[in-house]
């Protein structure tokens, strides 16, 4: 077969990929050919524009390092990460909503006892976090692993500092107690711009978009026989709740900060000074739904 033109070339390529022995690979190969060809037919790029597109993707790849994943940032800012998240989390009604993992999760974060200060010296207003973890049957989950991480008052994560992984702060792991509850102390995080000094930042500028995310605390919560929950809690008084650059905000994850006075807390813990409080009850879906 030869002499392909702009209408016959798509079928020719589809014909060529149709023999992929792995069915899933075949379905994906066919879809990418169809959508990519339709995209080109719609946009009708000039040769110069196509070369610029390839140079852009090349820069995205070149920006990636062990601690910087520009392709994930591209997926996040084009709303693709949240679309993949939505497709993979068609959860039962009362299960806690999910959102993007983001690039600042660190494997093997330090484990803390309940009630400890996990801020690692980050400067900001003190914050109490109290939570409960249950299954969709409302039964408390004892020993759930609750991992959390957040930015400081300037909107930076520990791993963005010069010392990076060597000076972790504002992150950790705790385990729920016999009532399925956990608590820790930290500081109030600020809204922040995603890393925008690379090609994704250039794209945002060209699209006249700001790079900000509203203030939030990330959580990853796991327990046997439950689907691991990746989510954030957003602070209700934060800017950018309606224009999050990665489209991750959901109403059910927005929390008003409460005021906690020195002494006993609403959940029977005790703090030594006045502070803001973030309270939330997480519900894990069953694994293998
Ligand atoms: C974050 O919340 O840490 C994040 C998520 C997506 C892109 C950049 C940062
Ligand atoms: Fe974040």
């Amino acid at each position: 077969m030869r002499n392909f033109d702009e209408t016959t070339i798509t079928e020719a390529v589809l014909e060529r990929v149709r023999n992929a022995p792995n069915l899933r690979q075949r379905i994906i190969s066919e879809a990418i050919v169809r959508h990519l060809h339709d995209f080109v037919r719609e946009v009708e790029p000039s040769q110069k524009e196509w070369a610029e597109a390839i140079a852009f993707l090349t820069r995205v790849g070149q920006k990636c390092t062990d601690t910087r994943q520009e392709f994930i940032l591209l997926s996040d800012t084009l709303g693709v990460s949240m679309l993949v998240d939505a497709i993979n989390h068609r959860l039962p009604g009362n299960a806690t909503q999910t959102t993007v993992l983001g690039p600042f999760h660190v494997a093997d974060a330090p484990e803390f006892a309940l009630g400890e200060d996990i801020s690692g010296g980050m400067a900001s207003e003190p914050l109490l976090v109290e939570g409960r973890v249950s299954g969709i049957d409302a039964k408390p989950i004892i020993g759930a692993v609750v991992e959390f991480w957040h930015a400081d008052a300037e909107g930076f994560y520990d791993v963005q500092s010069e010392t990076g992984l060597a000076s972790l702060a504002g992150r950790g792991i705790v385990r729920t107690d016999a009532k399925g509850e956990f608590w820790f102390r930290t500081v109030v995080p600020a809204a922040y711009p995603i890393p925008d000094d690379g090609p994704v930042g250039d794209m945002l500028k060209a699209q006249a978009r700001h790079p900000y995310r509203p203030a939030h605390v990330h959580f990853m919560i796991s327990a046997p026989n439950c689907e691991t929950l990746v989510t954030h809690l957003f602070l209700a008084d934060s800017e950018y709740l309606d224009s999050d650059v990665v489209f991750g905000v959901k109403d059910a994850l927005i929390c008003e900060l409460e005021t906690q006075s020195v002494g006993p807390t609403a959940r029977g813990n005790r703090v030594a000074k006045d502070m803001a409080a973030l309270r939330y009850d997480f519900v894990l879906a069953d694994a293998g739904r």
Side-chain angles (χ1 to χ4, degrees):
M1 292 216 302
R2 53 181 76 169
N3 303 322
F4 303 114
D5 62 21
E6 57 187 272
T7 50
T8 58
I9 184 117
T10 304
E11 189 46 46
V13 182
L14 287 173
E15 186 62 39
R16 206 72 68 86
V17 303
R18 228 159 245 152
N19 294 328
N22 179 299
L23 178 63
R24 187 72 181 148
Q25 260 166 20
R26 177 181 147 184
I27 290 169
I28 293 169
S29 298
E30 289 180 2
I32 192 124
V33 169
R34 272 190 281 107
H35 288 276
L36 200 51
H37 285 216
D38 282 347
F39 168 81
V40 170
R41 266 188 286 270
E42 179 185 327
V43 173
E44 296 197 341
S46 66
Q47 298 282 4
K48 182 167 170 287
E49 285 172 331
W50 192 240
E52 280 169 5
I54 287 170
F56 171 76
L57 290 176
T58 305
R59 286 200 302 281
V60 170
Q62 286 166 339
K63 194 72 189 169
C64 294
T65 64
D66 286 352
T67 53
R68 173 86 178 245
Q69 230 305 349
E70 197 75 358
F71 273 112
I72 296 183
L73 223 46
L74 183 61
S75 159
D76 292 341
T77 51
L78 291 177
V80 180
S81 301
M82 280 306 291
L83 179 57
V84 173
D85 184 73
I87 288 166
N88 283 278
H89 296 101
R90 296 175 181 131
L91 297 173
N94 62 340
T96 299
Q97 301 273 303
T98 56
T99 185
V100 282
L101 177 67
F104 299 120
H105 174 254
V106 166
D108 304 321
E111 184 146 356
F112 290 91
L114 291 176
E116 276 194 274
D117 179 357
I118 65 91
S119 67
M122 281 176 162
S124 185
E125 302 293 313
L127 176 69
L128 164 71
V129 180
E130 287 183 316
R132 183 177 292 130
V133 182
S134 65
I136 51 171
D137 57 3
K139 289 200 182 115
I141 300 178
I142 302 164
V145 176
V146 180
E147 202 172 335
F148 44 83
W149 62 104
H150 66 79
D152 64 14
E154 266 75 54
F156 290 107
Y157 283 84
D158 50 359
V159 288
Q160 293 176 288
S161 74
E162 301 233 312
T163 44
L165 287 169
S167 50
L168 296 182
R171 72 176 66 239
I173 297 173
V174 292
R175 286 168 200 270
T176 53
D177 64 15
K179 291 188 289 185
E181 294 184 348
F182 68 90
W183 70 295
F184 58 88
R185 288 170 298 125
T186 187
V187 294
V188 178
Y192 63 85
I194 62 164
D196 65 344
D197 57 343
V200 169
D202 297 342
M203 178 192 77
L204 295 177
K205 280 181 206 98
Q207 294 169 341
R209 292 168 61 187
H210 73 68
Y212 285 90
R213 302 214 65 208
H216 58 271
V217 179
H218 293 256
F219 288 88
M220 177 145 74
I221 305 183
S222 52
N225 305 319
C226 293
E227 194 162 308
T228 295
L229 170 67
V230 174
T231 196
H232 325 338
L233 297 182
F234 295 94
L235 306 194
D237 65 352
S238 178
E239 253 187 280
Y240 311 114
L241 286 169
D242 286 312
S243 62
D244 179 12
V245 67
V246 303
F247 308 93
V249 179
K250 295 179 176 174
D251 281 338
L253 300 174
I254 299 176
C255 298
E256 291 284 350
L257 282 187
E258 298 169 31
T259 306
Q260 173 64 55
S261 303
V262 59
T265 75
R267 298 203 172 171
N269 301 307
R270 178 167 282 277
V271 291
K273 58 183 174 187
D274 295 350
M275 57 182 70
L278 179 61
R279 296 192 173 92
Y280 200 82
D281 293 338
F282 297 89
V283 178
L284 303 192
D286 294 344
R289 285 168 292 113

